[in-house]
Amino acid sequence: MFVENLERGFYRLIRDDRCLLLVNFDIDAICACRILQQLFKNDNMIYTLVPVQGIQDMVHAFEENCEEIKNVIFINCGGTLDLVELLQPAESVIFYILDSHRPYDLCNIYSEDQVRILGKADEDEEIPEYNEIFRDESSDEDDANEESDGEESQRKRRRLNEEDIVRRAERRKWSEKRDTVLFNYTQYSYYGRSSAMLVFDMAWNMSKDSLDMVWWAIIGSTEQAILGKIESRLSVLEEGSLQAHVSRLTHKQGGEVDRQPHQEQQQSTFRITYDKDLSLALYRHWTVEASLRHSVPTAVSLRLWSIRGEQRLKELLAEMGLPLAQSKQRFSAMDLVLRQEFRQMVEKLAGKYKVDTIIGTSFTLQYGYRFKYCASDVVYAMLALMESSSKDKLPQRCFLEALDCLSRTKKDILQSGVEKAKLMLSSIFKTAQSILQMKQIRSAGSFLYTIIPEGVADNHVFAHPHSLMMLAQFTLKAYVDSSKNRRAPEWPLIVSSICNREDGTCLVVGIPPVCEDQPRSLFGRAFEQAAKNTNSYIEADYFDTTIIRLKTEERSKFLDALAALLA
């Protein structure tokens, strides 16, 4: 069932008992978790936090921590699964779901008490009616008993009266209709509103919000925009709402400073600004040339994977009046005048070079004199830290490092994340460049696909889902921009990379076509069906169903089955 009043239907009910927080490996989930942690700290509440990478992780985490736990909070995980069936909890345990993955499992929606979904149902979700999906099965049990009686049942079947025949026909008809309704409801996977935004709204309604909390909500919302999880219209609306909160809290903070002069120095050093900015990846912490090259809008518009594109980049820098020596210096070390005029330089030439999309607005956090990061900088840093696991470094440690990025006192961790993000974005660009130059994007009729060769130096980067997804989005936009085929914008893309050489598994990610402003993907259900058709074993362990693991040797027959299915 849905809980619309989060204070009354969630927060007040969990205050007196220890909670178990199961948090998915994504930035929005980490931000939602951080806001909850702050609320719990303020109210002296006890909780256990366990990061979970997939469904198996979630099951193990619940089994290990379920003793003496009455409230379990799932952040960006569990909403699309029948949790009661999967976890078999005691009757006293209540599950609270805070999940941006859609569509929700119908058993969770229609659970009367044990499962509570935080927030209200999306207007465009089209949830089927209860009677269309669930039905009293007592009459079916009678039929089952009849069938188990051997010869006696055969005699009974011959004597079936017209009423029984009608009843069975009705049940068959209802069953067929149910299958159609279920298919229509579950055929696309997509994302709903940011979980961090939802928790922040709860904190605001309880008058317990702060500037730190609104910054964390901004990061969660920005991650959804960067990874193309929600349509641009919704991103703009969230931005407007966040701007209003920033203004209100900044004004309130100013009032508090007036009343408490001894805190003035401390308070005035922390501020969030919302202003015109350029959507260039990490440009304040990188060189201008590198940022232009590794930002998707500029790389695609200038076609920087080609020799002609490189020339166009040099032409753009020259026309801006930015000497090459300056453009190859770290932005913070450039001449002060050039730094101050950089945005205006880009704006003047944006139309000519078709890079208008990089002109926009952004939130920036300034803390003291040297700590200045815009929201996208923090998102890239957190993504890079979260996906930096290796044999010597457990994923849980990476998760905690990403969580530490949200603390203003741990600038060194954030800075190391920024450096890792530069390497990640460089790997994405180099690999996309190689795919496009070698013409490695193949058409399977109804979709495009590309397989990253095993010997690529940056293979380890693409053994993680977010990096592979960012590569897929960059590659698809670049392919569509440079393709002469008019149908190219209508095609989705599948990208696959080696996941674990020792296990012989690969990672497969599917993304929707660029013409879809509302990013809904049909690959979740299609992957499942293609695996059934080929008897391939897929590990659909991720909470995002458009990401799977597969045996490398079965990949080609799996893609063939997918092509036949979607033809």
Side-chain angles (χ1 to χ4, degrees):
M1 68 179 193
F2 288 99
V3 175
E4 294 191 20
N5 186 324
L6 267 59
E7 181 184 4
R8 205 169 52 231
F10 164 59
Y11 197 74
R12 284 184 196 169
L13 303 178
I14 63 168
R15 284 183 62 167
D16 301 327
D17 299 297
R18 183 162 67 92
C19 299
L20 173 62
L21 266 73
L22 302 179
V23 187
N24 185 21
F25 273 64
D26 76 45
I27 308 306
D28 178 39
I30 291 173
C31 293
C33 168
R34 190 70 190 84
I35 298 169
L36 270 179
Q37 281 182 302
Q38 189 62 50
L39 289 170
F40 289 173
K41 183 182 175 184
N42 295 347
D43 289 328
N44 296 314
M45 288 165 63
I46 302 168
Y47 65 91
T48 302
L49 166 63
V50 186
V52 293
Q53 259 187 317
I55 297 165
Q56 290 309 310
D57 266 7
M58 185 180 77
V59 173
H60 292 152
F62 177 74
E63 286 171 354
E64 285 173 16
N65 296 281
C66 63
E67 282 181 28
E68 296 177 23
I69 288 277
K70 286 185 181 175
N71 303 306
V72 185
I73 303 165
F74 297 83
I75 305 182
N76 280 3
C77 58
T80 58
L81 306 162
D82 183 351
L83 286 178
V84 175
E85 177 68 27
L86 181 69
L87 301 176
Q88 303 285 321
E91 284 183 20
S92 59
V93 175
I94 295 177
F95 293 153
Y96 294 96
I97 297 173
L98 182 67
D99 195 354
S100 60
H101 294 96
R102 301 287 187 277
Y104 290 124
D105 187 274
L106 291 167
C107 293
N108 293 336
I109 291 174
Y110 288 113
S111 168
E112 288 182 6
D113 194 48
Q114 200 158 13
V115 180
R116 300 176 190 182
I117 300 170
L118 305 185
K120 55 186 177 185
D122 300 340
E123 290 172 13
D124 57 348
E125 204 167 345
E126 295 175 2
I127 296 167
E129 294 295 323
Y130 179 87
N131 294 332
E132 291 180 304
I133 303 299
F134 302 100
R135 177 184 169 117
D136 180 20
E137 296 295 324
S138 57
S139 56
D140 296 342
E141 284 169 19
D142 296 341
D143 289 340
N145 291 336
E146 283 180 4
E147 286 170 9
S148 62
D149 288 340
E151 289 178 19
E152 182 66 26
S153 73
Q154 286 179 0
R155 280 198 296 276
K156 282 181 182 176
R157 275 200 205 98
R158 290 190 201 105
R159 293 199 307 271
L160 276 174
N161 56 30
E162 286 179 15
E163 203 176 300
D164 293 329
I165 294 166
V166 169
R167 187 157 47 84
R168 289 190 173 194
E170 277 175 4
R171 194 183 309 122
R172 191 163 52 246
K173 195 175 170 184
W174 178 85
S175 220
E176 286 167 4
K177 189 184 173 189
R178 178 183 186 269
D179 290 344
T180 306
V181 168
L182 265 178
F183 176 79
N184 290 339
Y185 176 66
T186 58
Q187 66 174 321
Y188 292 108
S189 52
Y190 58 103
Y191 283 84
R193 194 179 183 217
S194 150
S195 296
M197 282 294 298
L198 206 64
V199 182
F200 174 76
D201 279 352
M202 179 184 79
W204 169 50
N205 287 325
M206 297 192 300
S207 301
K208 293 183 178 184
D209 56 337
S210 65
L211 264 177
D212 273 318
M213 287 184 191
V214 79
W215 176 244
W216 300 329
I218 287 165
I219 303 296
S221 183
T222 304
E223 182 243 17
Q224 284 202 318
I226 286 176
L227 295 180
K229 290 182 175 180
I230 55 171
E231 57 186 302
S232 48
R233 177 182 63 85
L234 294 175
S235 291
V236 172
L237 289 172
E238 292 287 35
E239 218 170 84
S241 161
L242 286 162
Q243 185 195 0
H245 285 301
V246 168
S247 301
R248 175 180 59 79
L249 288 162
T250 305
H251 180 70
K252 181 182 167 188
Q253 187 191 63
E256 285 169 1
V257 170
D258 292 340
R259 289 196 302 276
Q260 301 168 2
H262 65 282
Q263 287 189 1
E264 186 167 352
Q265 191 179 358
Q266 180 195 347
Q267 293 274 19
S268 62
T269 56
F270 171 44
R271 63 197 176 99
I272 299 169
T273 53
Y274 178 71
D275 208 350
K276 282 185 175 179
D277 203 358
L278 299 171
S279 303
L280 290 175
L282 306 168
Y283 78 88
R284 288 183 183 86
H285 314 279
W286 216 347
T287 68
V288 167
E289 187 199 35
S291 183
L292 285 164
R293 176 176 280 110
H294 297 105
S295 300
V296 175
T298 45
V300 169
S301 297
L302 299 171
R303 299 189 182 177
L304 294 179
W305 57 89
S306 64
I307 296 167
R308 175 77 187 104
E310 282 291 325
Q311 289 169 343
R312 278 171 68 78
L313 177 59
K314 284 174 184 160
E315 284 168 26
L316 171 62
L317 291 168
E319 218 170 318
M320 279 164 59
L322 198 64
L324 270 178
Q326 291 282 331
S327 71
K328 292 188 178 194
Q329 267 188 324
R330 199 180 176 97
F331 184 79
S332 55
M334 276 167 53
D335 288 353
L336 182 61
V337 177
L338 292 173
R339 266 186 291 157
Q340 288 172 336
E341 294 178 0
F342 178 60
R343 184 166 54 80
Q344 288 89 333
M345 290 174 179
V346 175
E347 282 176 357
K348 273 182 196 171
L349 297 165
K352 181 179 176 182
Y353 286 89
K354 297 178 185 171
V355 290
D356 311 68
T357 48
I358 67 166
I359 296 163
T361 47
S362 81
F363 292 94
T364 305
L365 172 69
Q366 189 150 6
Y367 178 57
Y369 297 104
R370 294 188 167 217
F371 190 106
K372 187 175 181 180
Y373 293 87
C374 76
S376 61
D377 295 341
V378 182
V379 170
Y380 285 125
M382 289 174 74
L383 280 169
L385 284 170
M386 195 173 66
E387 304 218 320
S388 61
S389 60
S390 60
K391 284 180 182 175
D392 309 320
K393 194 174 180 183
L394 289 173
Q396 286 75 10
R397 188 177 153 203
C398 298
F399 177 96
L400 294 173
E401 281 186 1
L403 182 63
D404 282 342
C405 269
L406 297 174
S407 170
R408 282 183 278 133
T409 56
K410 298 189 176 173
K411 188 191 168 186
D412 53 335
I413 291 177
L414 179 55
Q415 197 50 49
S416 80
V418 166
E419 296 307 315
K420 281 188 166 76
K422 291 177 190 176
L423 296 173
M424 178 181 77
L425 292 172
S426 300
S427 297
I428 288 169
F429 176 78
K430 279 190 289 185
T431 308
Q433 184 179 35
S434 165
I435 289 168
L436 294 158
Q437 285 180 344
M438 305 289 286
K439 294 186 166 50
Q440 288 175 333
I441 295 180
R442 308 263 183 266
S443 171
S446 53
F447 64 89
L448 303 166
Y449 70 93
T450 186
I451 294 168
I452 300 168
E454 204 167 324
V456 173
D458 297 322
N459 252 139
H460 64 283
V461 175
F462 304 111
H464 302 285
H466 288 104
S467 307
L468 192 61
M469 194 164 279
M470 287 163 77
L471 171 69
Q473 288 168 346
F474 183 3
T475 308
L476 183 58
K477 281 174 184 165
Y479 176 82
V480 169
D481 187 78
S482 57
S483 174
K484 290 173 184 172
N485 192 322
R486 286 183 184 176
R487 287 195 58 210
E490 299 168 17
W491 286 327
L493 173 70
I494 289 175
V495 178
S496 178
S497 174
I498 293 298
C499 178
N500 188 323
R501 276 197 184 88
E502 291 164 12
D503 295 352
T505 55
C506 61
L507 198 60
V508 179
V509 162
I511 60 163
V514 296
C515 67
E516 292 276 343
D517 185 44
Q518 196 174 18
R520 291 175 173 240
S521 178
L522 50 74
F523 281 127
R525 286 296 300 270
F527 285 164
E528 202 180 292
Q529 193 57 49
K532 264 186 200 168
N533 294 352
T534 55
N535 287 329
S536 304
Y537 173 70
I538 62 166
E539 208 175 324
D541 192 48
Y542 293 99
F543 298 108
D544 184 336
T545 55
T546 60
I547 306 165
I548 58 164
R549 284 194 293 268
L550 180 73
K551 284 285 182 191
T552 311
E553 66 211 30
E554 295 185 332
R555 182 165 55 191
S556 57
K557 73 170 181 179
F558 176 78
L559 289 171
D560 290 343
L562 203 58
L565 185 69
L566 299 175

